[in-house]
Amino acid sequence: MAGDLPFESPLVKLREKIQELEQFGNEKGIDFSDEIARLEERYKQLEEEIYSNISPSEKMYLSRLHQRPTSLDLISLIFDDFIELHGDRLYGDDLAIVGGLAKLDGIPVTVIGQQRGKDTKDNIARFFGSAHPEGFRKGLRLMQQADKFKRPIITFIDTKGAYPGSAAEERGQAEAIARNLREMSLLRVPVICVVIGEGGSGGALALAVGNRVLMLEHAIYSAISPNGAASILWKDASRADEAATAMKITADDLLEMEVIEEIITEPRGGAHNDYQFTADEIKKALLTHLKELSVMNSDELLEDRYLKFRKIGKFAHANQPSQEAPLIHTNNGKDDALNAESEET
């Protein structure tokens, strides 16, 4: 059902017209069934046109929608016997990161996710899903425990980035993220990462060094938020929509560049419209990739993970023409943006 997003407003208005016509017919005893049927057909056509052509900037808003399922929502629908574990054994318990033990179709796993709040109070407690160092260290503690007991690791990524406050910096934010990157690359068990909403900056990458990285259809994944990129490139955060298009942050873009391995289908209009459908599709993808990874021994898993990241981007030696821009974002996007700015001035 169409909701709060700007690009859905034509659907909202048409649905209101249908409801008004139905109400008026009921009150006056007039049969408007033919007119309502035509409007319902038009609604379906308009819905297909809108949802089959969602732009990168529209996906940015869709990925941030507060009604989208959170990590805990999906954990409850996908896994059995989830036991949440708390604390990093160094400082405290960061509620922006949740994790623990669970079973995936009877298979013992460790699951870790970034958790946004469901309301204002919950968002404040969870720092809107932006973890402090103790959150990343809690995640690492759980991953090392999984490595010790040979349990596969599944992570859910949904954050605008690591918490940027002074307290986080004082407690070693950069070191905590860097340590996660290093230690995750050395884990000797299968690691599957799923971007379920917005995967932003190092806060996302700190849980995303896996053998397989998957994305929901309308999720985004980037080294910096479009708002931040617009502020840097044009000194104007309001040009975030423009930056979102240039940055190649959608699942389709990242699959084409081999940053991710699979796009997971969402229900029409987005994951918020049907939590169970979304959870079922994620579970199906997890089982498929876990089956592929389970036949590898520890050395093969390490090599597989190394090659997965080693192949991202292409480079050229000195005095040779460059083949392709590296990593997630292409230089073309930045060049186009700078050229556009120079033409305006």
Side-chain angles (χ1 to χ4, degrees):
M1 184 66 68
D4 300 334
L5 297 167
F7 66 88
E8 294 179 317
S9 59
L11 290 173
V12 174
K13 292 177 181 177
L14 186 53
R15 176 54 62 190
E16 289 174 350
K17 288 182 180 178
I18 293 171
Q19 292 172 347
E20 288 174 3
L21 194 58
E22 288 175 338
Q23 183 178 354
F24 183 76
N26 292 332
E27 292 174 353
K28 302 299 182 180
I30 303 174
D31 183 10
F32 288 116
S33 57
D34 290 341
E35 289 81 357
I36 291 172
R38 283 195 292 271
L39 288 176
E40 290 284 5
E41 183 61 29
R42 173 55 187 152
Y43 185 92
K44 292 179 182 178
Q45 293 174 354
L46 186 60
E47 190 178 48
E48 177 64 27
E49 291 172 8
I50 290 175
Y51 290 136
S52 61
N53 295 284
I54 301 177
S55 69
S57 61
E58 290 167 344
K59 289 197 174 190
M60 175 181 69
Y61 294 114
L62 191 51
S63 72
R64 294 172 173 174
L65 198 63
H66 73 274
Q67 295 100 326
R68 280 180 75 85
T70 65
S71 292
L72 285 177
D73 291 327
L74 294 172
I75 288 171
S76 68
L77 294 171
I78 295 172
F79 302 93
D80 299 317
D81 303 328
F82 175 62
I83 301 174
E84 186 174 357
L85 303 177
H86 298 272
D88 68 341
R89 303 299 186 266
L90 293 171
Y91 181 84
D93 187 33
D94 187 344
L95 298 181
I97 300 285
V98 297
L101 313 178
K103 289 183 179 178
L104 178 64
D105 261 14
I107 305 169
V109 298
T110 289
V111 57
I112 304 163
Q114 289 155 333
Q115 179 67 22
R116 294 177 287 107
K118 302 294 286 187
D119 53 37
T120 301
K121 182 178 180 181
D122 198 21
N123 262 319
I124 292 172
R126 299 185 185 278
F127 304 101
F128 294 84
S130 295
H132 284 69
E134 52 270 25
F136 297 120
R137 290 171 180 145
K138 174 168 71 171
L140 179 58
R141 179 178 74 82
L142 296 179
M143 287 186 276
Q144 290 173 333
Q145 181 194 75
D147 196 41
K148 177 179 179 180
F149 292 103
K150 306 302 179 186
R151 287 192 300 267
I153 297 167
I154 295 165
T155 69
F156 291 127
I157 296 151
D158 187 15
T159 183
K160 293 183 178 181
Y163 190 76
S166 59
E169 295 298 331
E170 289 170 358
R171 296 200 291 272
Q173 186 73 287
E175 186 275 342
I177 293 173
R179 183 179 294 273
N180 273 34
L181 302 185
R182 185 188 70 181
E183 296 300 323
M184 286 190 76
S185 69
L186 299 174
L187 293 168
R188 303 179 69 83
V189 294
V191 183
I192 303 175
C193 312
V194 187
V195 184
I196 62 173
E198 180 175 12
S201 193
L205 194 57
L207 291 185
V209 182
N211 297 88
R212 302 288 184 271
V213 178
L214 320 177
M215 284 182 70
L216 283 179
E217 182 181 358
H218 300 312
I220 62 172
Y221 188 29
S222 59
I224 186 174
S225 71
N227 310 71
S231 297
I232 293 171
L233 288 175
W234 304 299
K235 304 297 186 288
D236 184 1
S238 67
R239 295 174 69 175
D241 290 2
E242 190 178 345
T245 302
M247 290 169 64
K248 309 291 186 184
I249 61 177
T250 68
D252 289 328
D253 291 326
L254 297 171
L255 181 65
E256 181 180 351
M257 292 187 285
E258 300 185 60
V259 174
I260 66 171
E261 279 67 48
E262 183 180 345
I263 299 173
I264 301 173
T265 304
E266 295 188 29
R268 181 179 293 276
H272 60 287
N273 287 325
D274 193 335
Y275 281 23
Q276 188 63 60
F277 177 91
T278 304
D280 290 343
E281 291 298 303
I282 293 175
K283 183 174 182 179
K284 189 190 308 178
L286 289 175
L287 289 170
T288 298
H289 289 282
L290 191 56
K291 183 179 179 180
E292 294 174 1
L293 295 171
S294 63
V295 300
M296 300 182 187
N297 61 38
S298 297
D299 291 336
E300 290 170 336
L301 287 168
L302 283 172
E303 181 70 8
D304 175 82
R305 199 176 306 130
Y306 169 77
L307 292 175
K308 181 242 179 321
F309 286 93
R310 188 67 179 83
K311 73 181 180 182
I312 297 176
K314 297 187 178 177
F315 64 93
H317 294 286
N319 302 320
Q320 292 183 4
S322 177
Q323 300 175 36
E324 190 175 311
L327 297 178
I328 296 178
H329 305 294
T330 65
N331 287 335
N332 290 336
K334 182 177 179 181
D335 293 342
D336 291 344
L338 293 174
N339 289 338
E341 183 180 28
S342 63
E343 289 173 3
E344 290 178 3
T345 56

